[in-house]
């Protein structure tokens, strides 16, 4: 498995502002993902963070709203831009090591709990 | 497209009761199947997985068997504890690597 940390763990923000969430992994991983978990809901994939190229976004998510960076194989950031109360969610980073028996298993960070007022 | 359906919760049980949480899936091909658990205030933890038909995943007393004929991956535990209270998510792997989750089932175990 992989050890994943996220910063911040939680934040309360004003509408119209932006927040950048960091995800750090203790080893190099092939694939990194960002998910959103709205209150009382399941997880929805926002995008796949590609190392050295633009992220791949899922339907309903756009780069202008959720810009993502992945400068290397152990780190990624997700920015939630121009926030509104509807963006209040838990944002989770996950990784897929992509090697051996765990090749298709994803491991999740502890999440960032965002509240937008 | 691929999808996962879980039984609706919440599920409320007494300690030492038998647990079943139903999960069925729709998929093309042969995805891997997973159960994740989310304890209050925490992120997701992988509970168990199965990668092909008839595989049984197991961990911490929980079990689930990959049933291709019924497209199911039901989670079971013979004797639940208060500490098992959490939200349980069934998921399948969807190429090229993302996970598709069910809606989650809340389990509450009372002493």
């Amino acid at each position: 498995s992989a050890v994943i940390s996220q910063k911040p763990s939680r934040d309360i923000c004003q509408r119209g502002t932006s927040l950048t969430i960091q995800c750090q992994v203790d080893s190099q991983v092939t694939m990194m993902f960002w998910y959103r978990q709205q209150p009382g809901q399941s997880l929805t994939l926002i995008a796949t963070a590609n190392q050295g190229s633009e992220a791949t976004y899922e339907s309903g998510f756009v780069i202008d709203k959720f810009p993502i960076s992945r400068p290397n194989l152990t780190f990624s950031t997700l920015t939630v831009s121009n926030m509104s109360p509807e963006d209040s969610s838990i944002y989770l980073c996950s990784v897929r090591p992509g090697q051996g028996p765990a090749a298709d298993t994803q491991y999740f960070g502890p999440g960032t709990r965002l509240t937008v007022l | 497209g691929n999808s996962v359906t879980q039984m609706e919760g919440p599920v409320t049980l007494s300690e030492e009761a038998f647990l079943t949480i139903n999960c069925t899936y729709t998929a093309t091909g042969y995805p891997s199947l997973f159960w994740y658990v989310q304890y209050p205030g925490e992120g997701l933890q992988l509970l168990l997985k199965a990668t092909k038909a008839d595989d049984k995943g197991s961990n911490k007393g929980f079990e689930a068997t990959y049933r291709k004929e019924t497209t199911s991956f039901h989670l079971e535990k013979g004797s639940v504890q208060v500490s098992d209270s959490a939200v349980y998510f069934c998921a399948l792997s969807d190429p090229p690597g993302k996970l598709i989750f069910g809606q989650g089932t809340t389990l509450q175990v009372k002493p």
Side-chain angles (χ1 to χ4, degrees):
Chain A
S1 65
V3 177
I4 306 163
S5 60
Q6 285 185 233
K7 290 182 186 179
S9 58
R10 58 178 64 228
D11 208 341
I12 300 173
C13 300
Q14 298 297 318
R15 69 172 67 209
T17 62
S18 298
L19 177 72
T20 295
I21 302 167
Q22 298 180 6
C23 177
Q24 180 74 53
V25 191
D26 68 340
S27 58
Q28 294 186 345
V29 293
T30 306
M31 301 184 78
M32 296 180 76
F33 306 88
W34 287 98
Y35 288 81
R36 180 176 73 181
Q37 186 179 21
Q38 294 178 299
Q41 302 295 313
S42 186
L43 282 80
T44 302
L45 181 65
I46 297 172
T48 302
N50 300 309
Q51 194 267 328
S53 64
E54 193 171 284
T56 304
Y57 290 84
E58 297 297 307
S59 176
F61 297 96
V62 296
I63 188 171
D64 290 347
K65 176 67 176 177
F66 297 102
I68 288 170
S69 77
R70 190 174 174 195
N72 56 53
L73 293 176
T74 63
F75 185 78
S76 178
T77 67
L78 167 75
T79 298
V80 186
S81 303
N82 189 23
M83 288 184 283
S84 67
E86 292 71 34
D87 294 320
S88 297
S89 296
I90 300 173
Y91 292 86
L92 297 107
C93 166
S94 77
V95 303
R96 185 176 174 222
Q99 296 175 0
D104 61 352
T105 301
Q106 286 187 32
Y107 300 94
F108 285 80
T112 295
R113 186 179 295 269
L114 171 62
T115 302
V116 183
L117 303 177
Chain B
N2 295 348
S3 66
V4 176
T5 302
Q6 289 180 235
M7 64 185 288
E8 286 196 20
V11 174
T12 303
L13 296 173
S14 297
E15 207 164 21
E16 299 184 1
F18 184 86
L19 168 70
T20 300
I21 300 178
N22 290 338
C23 171
T24 58
Y25 66 91
T26 302
T28 54
Y30 304 97
S32 294
L33 301 174
F34 305 84
W35 277 99
Y36 284 85
V37 58
Q38 186 174 37
Y39 297 101
E42 298 185 13
L44 263 69
Q45 299 178 24
L46 177 66
L47 182 59
L48 53 84
K49 64 177 281 190
T51 58
K52 60 183 186 296
D54 299 326
D55 263 4
K56 178 185 284 188
S58 61
N59 186 27
K60 299 181 181 180
F62 291 90
E63 293 182 340
T65 302
Y66 191 144
R67 301 286 189 198
K68 183 170 175 291
E69 63 276 14
T70 55
T71 62
S72 66
F73 192 55
H74 304 322
L75 182 68
E76 297 182 336
K77 186 175 185 183
S79 175
V80 293
Q81 305 300 311
V82 172
S83 57
D84 293 325
S85 298
V87 181
Y88 292 82
F89 292 94
C90 184
L92 64 81
S93 60
D94 191 50
K98 69 181 185 182
L99 289 175
I100 294 177
F101 285 88
Q103 62 267 47
T105 302
T106 299
L107 170 65
Q108 184 177 15
V109 180
K110 296 187 173 180

